[in-house]
Amino acid sequence: KNEVEQSPQNLTAQEGEFITINCSYSVGISALHWLQQHPGGGIVSLFMLSSGKKKHGRLIATINIQEKHSSLHITASHPRDSAVYICAVGGATNKLIFGTGTLLAVQP
Amino acid sequence: NAGVTQTPKFQVLKTGQSMTLQCAQDMNHEYMSWYRQDPGMGLRLIHYSVGAGITDQGEVPNGYNVSRSTTEDFPLRLLSAAPSQTSVYFCASSYFPRTAREKLFFGSGTQLSVL
């Protein structure tokens, strides 16, 4: 079993829909990262969080340390949100463990 | 600031050839790392460095060498390319220590094919 599991693996939504991507992990962590990768593009850091909730524009990330679970929400989704969203967790070492990503397609 | 600059963007090698992937950052980050990204798998750490002159192995180091002579540069060398090294490679950097709690900055990636 992978130490970081994301669901769903693939997600198709209509423009304007509210989207949720989930990340569960089995190891102790000090922080969790959400990253975005556009097709053929580089990887961009969206959030780093260790507790609670963070918001940036239409993106909201939450984490529940006790349940070892995080969610990334996208409100009023837009085709430009189409990308792979990657969850990564970091513990006491300098190494991150990455999930396999969620491929999101937002159709107009 | 340019951020993390990674070159080349694409490369095709024949089995047995050697090459170096370049990575440079201008943010004075102590921590630099190389990852490979394969279909159906998460990013996997190849090698990392926490400062000039200090490198260490990650999850999948075999077949790769690194060095860190300056804070800015962290090249990745493939000594004798194999088809199993066909992948997309990313360089990343961040502040250190407590790297797990720092924002990670990625290069634009190198798509490598080994024939």
Side-chain angles (χ1 to χ4, degrees), chain A residues 25-81:
Chain A
Y25 53 92
S26 58
V27 295
I29 70 168
S30 59
L32 183 142
H33 299 250
W34 281 104
L35 310 169
Q36 180 191 57
Q37 183 177 24
H38 280 104
I43 301 171
V44 176
S45 177
L46 297 175
F47 294 103
M48 189 284 295
L49 62 164
S50 55
S51 65
K53 175 180 172 179
K54 285 190 176 180
K55 184 176 189 287
H56 181 69
R58 295 180 294 106
L59 301 178
I60 303 166
T62 65
I63 188 168
N64 185 318
I65 296 293
Q66 287 72 30
E67 294 187 3
K68 296 188 174 179
H69 181 268
S70 176
S71 293
L72 176 68
H73 305 286
I74 305 175
T75 62
S77 59
H78 190 276
R80 65 175 174 266
D81 296 325

Side-chain angles (χ1 to χ4, degrees), chain B residues 22-60:
Chain B
Q22 302 291 344
C23 178
Q25 52 88 15
D26 60 0
M27 297 172 281
N28 204 30
H29 285 165
E30 302 93 336
Y31 183 87
M32 296 187 74
S33 53
W34 279 101
Y35 296 91
R36 58 178 290 171
Q37 186 180 43
D38 300 294
M41 305 185 75
L43 288 159
R44 291 184 293 169
L45 182 64
I46 303 171
H47 285 286
Y48 68 99
S49 168
V50 298
I54 307 169
T55 63
D56 205 349
Q57 296 182 349
E59 183 184 354
V60 287

Side-chain angles (χ1 to χ4, degrees), chain A residues 90-96, chain B residues 31 33 35 45 48 50 94-100:
Chain A
T93 70
N94 301 313
K95 303 172 187 176
L96 295 177
Chain B
Y31 183 87
S33 53
Y35 296 91
L45 182 64
Y48 68 99
V50 298
S94 74
Y95 288 105
F96 177 82
R98 305 203 323 161
T99 299

